[in-house]
């Protein structure tokens, strides 16, 4: 269970944060990251358990499908694709490849995903027709890419950081900003935040909502508070394809009494789902799924029963989300009108279970598989 003693955990988090600053290579990132590191150490969880926790960020759903990332083996991360009409489960996977950050178009006709390699720094953002699994590559880059969402079928908004090479040759990514990329064109940087964490993007009515973290004194964000809401928004001009920047620091979208992260906004902008800390008996706490209006008026709450929730996905009048347990995933659906929660499916997360799934073979347009090098442009210049 993802529940720990608040006071003791807070003190150790502060110590880990100080060590991270001293050595310039954080063992964890942000309060949530350090808290998760603590629970792994204290609960005796394995690296495989920790890997599954990280992959819970990679989840998408539509009326037609559910997609989420799974560790198939030590060097392969695939996408489980579940047809909601037939309940068929299939797998997108390649040896030594990582498939993540899935995004399903509202009509379910396209799946956008990020493909990276364990062996090279190359990343591709793919857009695939779910009827034929014919794909086009929207972006080739050596920068990190997280949380792509469609502006239209050939244009994506995403979070990205350039690579910084450590003395041992390793690559770090800690200056994230919002970017726009159109097929065949150079990506355009929309912001100048340089944040250590930025993602979980949603767009509605020319407004971009996202989760972000940048440390206790980052100029783009408000002064850090233990129970702050790490959810922000900026306005987007679709004609100029620019973010309308406000004078920093950004303001949290709303304020609550406990920590709030990982937002998802409904297409009509009426509701936002996010993970929110719930204080429980004995000063212990957990990350529940909360649903509210955009001004923070809490409407519903789903209590965590397992280890971790995924990000939620609004589909019509429901919220779809995944929950991680010690030996399985459980995908659930919240009826927003009735307030009732029903299980959609459970799936064993052992490697053998994924090996038994039928494979989806991706096909590519001839001109989209060749790497294209573009210099990054900025809309801020």
């Amino acid at each position: 269970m993802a529940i720990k003693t608040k006071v003791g955990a807070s003190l150790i988090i502060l110590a880990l944060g100080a060590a991270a600053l001293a050595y310039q290579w954080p063992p964890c990132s942000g309060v949530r990251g350090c808290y998760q590191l603590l629970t792994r150490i204290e609960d005796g969880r394995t690296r495989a358990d920790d890997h599954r926790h990280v992959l819970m960020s990679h989840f998408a759903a539509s009326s037609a499908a559910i997609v989420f990332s799974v560790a198939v083996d030590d060097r392969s991360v695939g996408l489980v694709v579940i047809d909601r009409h037939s309940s068929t489960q299939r797998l997108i996977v390649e040896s030594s490849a990582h498939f993540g950050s899935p995004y399903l178009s509202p009509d379910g006709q396209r799946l956008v995903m990020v493909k990276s390699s364990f062996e090279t720094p190359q990343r591709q953002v793919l857009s695939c027709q779910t009827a034929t699994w014919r794909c086009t590559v929207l972006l080739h880059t050596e920068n990190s890419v997280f949380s792509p969402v469609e502006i239209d079928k050939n244009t994506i908004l995403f979070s990205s950081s350039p690579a910084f090479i450590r003395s041992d040759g390793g690559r770090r990514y800690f200056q994230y900003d919002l970017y726009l990329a159109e097929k065949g064109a150079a990506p355009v940087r929309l912001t100048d935040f340089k944040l250590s964490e930025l993602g979980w993007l949603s767009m509605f009515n020319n407004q971009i909502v996202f989760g972000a973290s940048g440390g206790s004194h980052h100029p783009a964000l408000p002064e850090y508070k233990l129970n702050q809401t790490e959810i922000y928004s900026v306005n987007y001009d679709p004609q100029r394809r620019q973010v309308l920047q406000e004078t920093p620091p950004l303001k949290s979208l709303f304020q609550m009494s406990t920590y709030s992260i990982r937002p998802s906004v409904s297409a009509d902008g009426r509701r936002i789902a996010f993970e929110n800390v719930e204080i429980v008996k004995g000063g212990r706490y957990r990350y529940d799924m909360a649903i509210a209006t955009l001004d923070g008026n809490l409407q519903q709450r789903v209590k965590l029963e397992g280890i971790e929730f995924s990000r939620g996905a609004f589909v019509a009048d429901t919220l779809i989300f995944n929950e991680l347990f010690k030996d399985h995933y459980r995908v659930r659906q919240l009826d927003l009108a009735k307030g009732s929660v029903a299980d959609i499916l459970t799936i064993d997360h052992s490697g053998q279970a994924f090996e038994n799934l039928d494979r989806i073979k991706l096909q590519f347009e001839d001109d989209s598989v060749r790497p294209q090098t573009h210099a990054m442009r900025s809309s801020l210049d």
Side-chain angles (χ1 to χ4, degrees):
M1 293 288 290
I3 304 175
K4 292 293 166 186
T5 302
K6 182 179 179 182
V7 175
S10 299
L11 293 175
I12 301 175
I13 286 168
L14 292 174
L16 287 169
L21 291 173
Y23 290 99
Q24 300 298 309
W25 192 75
C28 52
S29 179
V31 169
R32 180 182 178 83
C34 293
Y35 167 74
Q36 297 292 351
L37 177 62
L38 276 174
T39 60
R40 180 168 72 85
I41 294 170
E42 293 182 359
D43 293 348
R45 298 212 304 263
T46 66
R47 285 191 175 273
D49 294 327
D50 204 37
H51 197 187
R52 280 189 285 269
H53 149 69
V54 171
L55 294 177
M56 291 298 285
S57 296
H58 303 265
F59 179 86
S62 71
S63 60
I66 295 167
V67 182
F68 55 92
S69 291
V70 296
V72 180
D73 56 43
D74 290 342
R75 294 181 60 80
S76 300
V77 171
L79 288 173
V80 171
V81 179
I82 301 159
D83 186 310
R84 296 189 66 189
H85 302 303
S86 67
S87 298
T88 302
Q89 301 173 17
R90 294 191 289 171
L91 185 68
I92 298 172
V93 66
E94 293 180 15
S95 178
S96 299
H98 184 298
F99 289 91
S101 290
Y103 167 90
L104 283 162
S105 60
D107 58 13
Q109 293 184 7
R110 290 176 303 280
L111 172 62
V112 176
M113 62 190 120
V114 179
K115 178 185 177 182
S116 58
S117 170
F118 281 88
E119 298 173 350
T120 71
Q122 282 290 334
R123 290 170 172 82
Q124 297 175 322
V125 180
L126 313 179
S127 177
C128 302
Q129 298 290 326
T130 55
T132 62
W133 295 109
R134 188 163 184 82
C135 306
T136 185
V137 180
L138 299 179
L139 175 67
H140 293 267
T141 182
E142 292 190 1
N143 296 339
S144 66
V145 179
F146 182 53
S147 197
V149 298
E150 281 189 348
I151 302 297
D152 57 54
K153 68 177 183 179
N154 290 316
T155 310
I156 52 170
L157 171 75
F158 61 98
S159 170
S160 181
S161 169
F164 294 87
I165 311 302
R166 300 198 308 263
S167 59
D168 63 0
R171 303 169 73 87
R172 292 183 62 202
Y173 305 92
F174 56 88
Q175 292 192 359
Y176 282 89
D177 273 289
L178 296 176
Y179 286 78
L180 195 73
E182 186 173 3
K183 180 186 175 183
V188 177
R189 181 166 60 89
L190 301 178
T191 61
D192 189 26
F193 296 147
K194 296 183 175 65
L195 293 166
S196 59
E197 294 181 4
L198 172 62
W200 304 282
L201 308 183
S202 296
M203 176 174 276
F204 70 98
N205 297 335
N206 300 326
Q207 187 175 1
I208 303 168
V209 175
F210 55 92
S213 177
S216 58
H217 299 287
H218 196 286
L221 300 179
E223 186 69 17
Y224 179 78
K225 295 185 297 183
L226 184 61
N227 292 329
Q228 73 184 45
T229 296
E230 294 194 337
I231 301 172
Y232 308 92
S233 70
V234 292
N235 293 320
Y236 174 72
D237 184 333
Q239 279 72 43
R240 297 182 178 181
R241 295 203 165 187
Q242 293 180 345
V243 162
L244 304 178
Q245 298 253 28
E246 299 180 2
T247 303
L250 293 168
K251 296 179 181 178
S252 298
L253 197 61
F254 52 80
Q255 293 294 336
M256 299 189 74
S257 60
T258 57
Y259 193 50
S260 301
I261 57 171
R262 284 187 181 178
S264 296
V265 179
S266 60
D268 59 11
R270 294 174 54 202
R271 295 183 176 95
I272 181 170
F274 53 96
E275 292 187 38
N276 174 254
V277 165
E278 172 76 0
I279 308 298
V280 295
K281 187 176 180 180
R284 297 160 73 84
Y285 60 105
R286 62 173 181 256
Y287 285 88
D288 289 343
M289 182 73 71
I291 299 89
T293 59
L294 261 68
D295 59 3
N297 181 23
L298 189 64
Q299 296 181 328
Q300 292 170 317
R301 187 178 203 95
V302 181
K303 292 183 179 180
L304 179 71
E305 297 177 7
I307 297 170
E308 175 87 5
F309 276 134
S310 74
R311 184 189 186 193
F314 286 98
V315 180
D317 293 324
T318 66
L319 181 75
I320 313 297
F321 53 93
N322 197 5
E323 188 171 5
L324 174 65
F325 290 82
K326 186 66 177 177
D327 60 356
H328 68 277
Y329 296 105
R330 179 175 66 175
V331 180
R332 312 187 79 190
Q333 175 176 285
L334 167 66
D335 186 312
L336 296 167
K338 298 178 181 178
S340 58
V341 180
D343 294 352
I344 295 178
L345 64 92
T346 60
I347 180 172
D348 180 6
H349 56 51
S350 69
Q352 185 60 46
F354 301 135
E355 285 292 337
N356 293 334
L357 296 181
D358 290 338
R359 300 298 196 262
I360 293 173
K361 184 174 178 56
L362 305 180
Q363 304 175 63
F364 291 88
E365 298 176 2
D366 290 342
D367 63 347
S368 73
V369 296
R370 295 190 298 270
Q372 305 165 31
T373 301
H374 296 291
M376 289 283 192
R377 298 187 292 118
S378 174
S379 67
L380 307 175
D381 297 334

